[in-house]
Amino acid sequence: MNSFIKTINKISLIKQILVGLIIGILVAIVFPSFAKELSLLGIIFVGALKGIAPVLVFFLIIAAISKHRAGQKTGMGSIVILYVIATFLAAATAVIASFLFPTTLHLVSSATDATPPEGIGEVIKTLLKNIVDNPIHALQSGNYIGILGWGLIIGAALRQSSLATKEVMENLSTAITKVVGWVIRFAPLGIMGLVADSIATNGIEALISYAQLLIILLGTMLFVALVINPIMVFAKLKRNPYPLVFKCLRESGITAFFTRSSAANIPVNMDLAKRLKINPDTYSISIPLGATINMGGAAITITIMTLAAANTLHIQVDILTAILLSVIATVGACGASGVAGGSLLLIPLACSLFGISNDISMQVVGVGFIIGVLQDSTETALNSSTDILFTATADYAKRGYPDTLD
C-alpha cells in the first residue's frame, strides 16, 4: 500500500485531477445511477475545504501580524488596487461585449424567493456589520470579512506578547497548513464525485435555450482571464505574463470551477502561494481578502445579465449609463460575498438603474439560476485564480520574479 501511495504521489496533482475528471464524466454517462453515489466524495471534499478554510485563515493572519515588524511592507496596498482595477475592467469588458453581441432573455415565470439588497448602501452596510461579527460565529459561518478583522486585531494585540506565544501561533498555522495539504491530495476523488453528480443531475438540456447568453458570459470571462489580466500583469512585471497566468488558471481555476466556492478554494490558493514562494505575510491576508472583494467574474455576470434584461425590454442604454453600470457592478461585486446568493442577487440592484421593476429583475435572477451550473463555475474559477495571480504579481514586482514557478 505504501509503495502504491508513493507511486501515486509521484504523479502531479493536476494530472490526477484530470484523470478524476475523465472518470467522473464516463461514470455519469455510462452509470448515471451510480454517479449519484459518487457525489458523496464531492460533498466530503468540498465540506473539508470549507471546514478548514476559516480556521486556516484565522491562525495564518494572527501568526503573520503578531510577528510583523514595524516598517516591514507587505504590499497589500498594491494588491487591493489590482483587485479593484481588475474588477472594474471586467465590468467594462462585459459592457463592450453586451454592446457588440446584444442578447435577450426568455423570462421565466418563476423566480427565487430571496430578497435582493435595495441599494449599494445596504451592501456596504452588510459588509461593515460582518467586520464586527462575533469571531466564533464568523468562523462557524465562514464570514471572511469578520475573520480578517478579528485576525488582524488579535494578531496586533499579540505583537507585544512573548516569543514563545508567537511561536505557538506559528506552529498552529503550520499544522493547519499541513492538514490543508492532506485535504488537497483528495482533490482528484472529490472532483470526480462533483463532476459525476453534476452531469448526471443537470445534463445540458436546460442550458440549450440560453446558449447565446452563456456564450457571451463565458466568452467574456475567458477574455478577461486570457487578455485583460495578462495585460495588467505585464504592466506590473514587464515580462511575459502567461507562464504565471496559466499556472494560476491550471492549479487554482480548475479546482474552483468544480467546487464553485471561493471560500473552499482559499486553502488551494494558500498552498499554491506557498509553492510560488510568495511572502506569507502577504498571501495570508490577500488570499482571503481577494475571496471577498476580488470579484471580476461577478461583475461580468451582473453587467451582462442586466444589459440582457434592458435589451429584452427595449431600453436604450447610452455610454454614460453603461459606465455608471460598470461602477455599480464593481462596488456590488466587491460586496457580493456579504449578500446571500452572491452575484445573482445583485442583478436587481443593477437593473434598478434602468427602472426595471423588481418582479422582472427577479425573473432575470431565475434565469441566472438555470444557467448557474456553468456560469457560476466559470465565474468562481476566474475570481479565485485572479486572487492568487495578482497576489503573486504584486509580490514579484516588489521582491523580484523567481527563477522558476515550480
Side-chain angles (χ1 to χ4, degrees):
M1 178 61 71
N2 287 335
S3 60
F4 175 75
I5 293 174
K6 289 179 180 179
T7 302
I8 292 295
N9 287 336
K10 289 179 181 179
I11 304 172
S12 71
L13 185 61
I14 295 300
K15 291 180 180 178
Q16 293 181 38
I17 289 174
L18 289 176
V19 171
L21 173 61
I22 293 170
I23 294 174
I25 293 172
L26 292 175
V27 169
I29 294 173
V30 180
F31 306 106
S33 58
F34 181 65
K36 297 289 186 180
E37 303 299 325
L38 276 183
S39 65
L40 180 61
L41 294 174
I43 293 172
I44 292 173
F45 175 62
V46 174
L49 285 175
K50 285 185 174 180
I52 196 64
V55 183
L56 171 69
V57 170
F58 189 61
F59 283 103
L60 274 177
I61 291 174
I62 291 176
I65 298 301
S66 66
K67 66 179 184 180
H68 181 77
R69 297 185 299 274
Q72 182 181 357
K73 296 182 179 180
T74 62
M76 280 303 303
S78 177
I79 295 173
V80 171
I81 291 173
L82 285 172
Y83 283 168
V84 174
I85 292 175
T87 302
F88 176 78
L89 289 179
T93 302
V95 167
I96 295 171
S98 294
F99 280 4
L100 292 175
F101 309 101
T103 58
T104 56
L105 303 173
H106 304 289
L107 295 180
V108 294
S109 58
S110 61
T112 177
D113 294 330
T115 303
E118 296 179 356
I120 289 294
E122 185 178 342
V123 174
I124 296 174
K125 181 180 178 181
T126 300
L127 285 174
L128 291 176
K129 287 170 63 177
N130 283 341
I131 293 176
V132 293
D133 189 13
N134 180 290
I136 303 299
H137 182 264
L139 285 167
Q140 289 177 333
S141 61
N143 169 17
Y144 286 93
I145 285 290
I147 293 170
L148 278 168
W150 287 112
L152 290 169
I153 292 171
I154 295 173
L158 288 175
R159 288 180 65 180
Q160 305 302 319
S161 62
S162 66
L163 182 60
T165 301
K166 294 179 181 179
E167 287 180 351
V168 168
M169 293 295 105
E170 180 71 20
N171 290 337
L172 276 172
S173 67
T174 300
I176 296 168
T177 301
K178 190 171 184 178
V179 172
V180 167
W182 294 342
V183 173
I184 291 174
R185 294 305 303 179
F186 285 93
L189 293 175
I191 287 177
M192 179 177 67
L194 289 169
V195 171
D197 180 56
S198 179
I199 294 178
T201 301
N202 299 291
I204 61 171
E205 292 81 3
L207 306 176
I208 293 176
S209 61
Y210 297 103
Q212 183 181 357
L213 177 62
L214 267 172
I215 290 171
I216 300 301
L217 278 166
L218 305 189
T220 303
M221 292 179 192
L222 286 173
F223 184 82
V224 168
L226 299 177
V227 178
I228 302 298
N229 287 348
I231 289 174
M232 292 182 63
V233 174
F234 176 79
K236 191 75 174 176
L237 297 179
K238 301 296 188 296
R239 62 182 300 158
N240 180 8
Y242 284 100
L244 180 60
V245 169
F246 287 142
K247 187 171 184 68
C248 292
L249 285 172
R250 185 173 65 249
E251 301 201 20
S252 173
I254 289 177
T255 53
F257 182 91
F258 292 108
T259 62
R260 294 173 63 183
S261 170
S262 294
N265 218 48
I266 286 175
V268 176
N269 279 347
M270 292 280 198
D271 180 68
L272 178 55
K274 182 179 179 181
R275 289 185 284 114
L276 288 174
K277 299 179 176 61
I278 300 172
N279 182 2
D281 292 346
T282 298
Y283 73 71
S284 63
I285 299 174
S286 68
I287 295 300
L289 181 64
T292 305
I293 70 168
N294 182 38
M295 294 287 174
I300 291 170
T301 298
I302 294 168
T303 303
I304 289 179
M305 296 292 285
T306 299
L307 290 176
N311 290 333
T312 302
L313 299 174
H314 307 291
I315 297 172
Q316 297 298 317
V317 181
D318 57 46
I319 297 298
L320 289 178
T321 307
I323 293 173
L324 180 58
L325 173 61
S326 298
V327 174
I328 290 175
T330 299
V331 177
C334 289
S337 65
V339 179
S343 60
L344 290 179
L345 283 184
L346 289 167
I347 291 172
L349 170 62
C351 283
S352 66
L353 178 65
F354 302 100
I356 299 173
S357 70
N358 195 57
D359 289 339
I360 297 296
S361 61
M362 287 306 287
Q363 290 185 51
V364 178
V365 174
V367 174
F369 279 111
I370 292 173
I371 64 174
V373 65
L374 282 179
Q375 168 269 324
D376 189 45
S377 295
T378 308
E379 176 185 310
T380 307
L382 174 61
N383 291 341
S384 191
S385 62
T386 306
D387 295 344
I388 182 65
L389 174 66
F390 289 141
T391 295
T393 298
D395 189 67
Y396 293 164
K398 184 180 68 171
R399 300 196 302 142
Y401 202 89
D403 295 332
T404 177
L405 294 178
D406 294 334

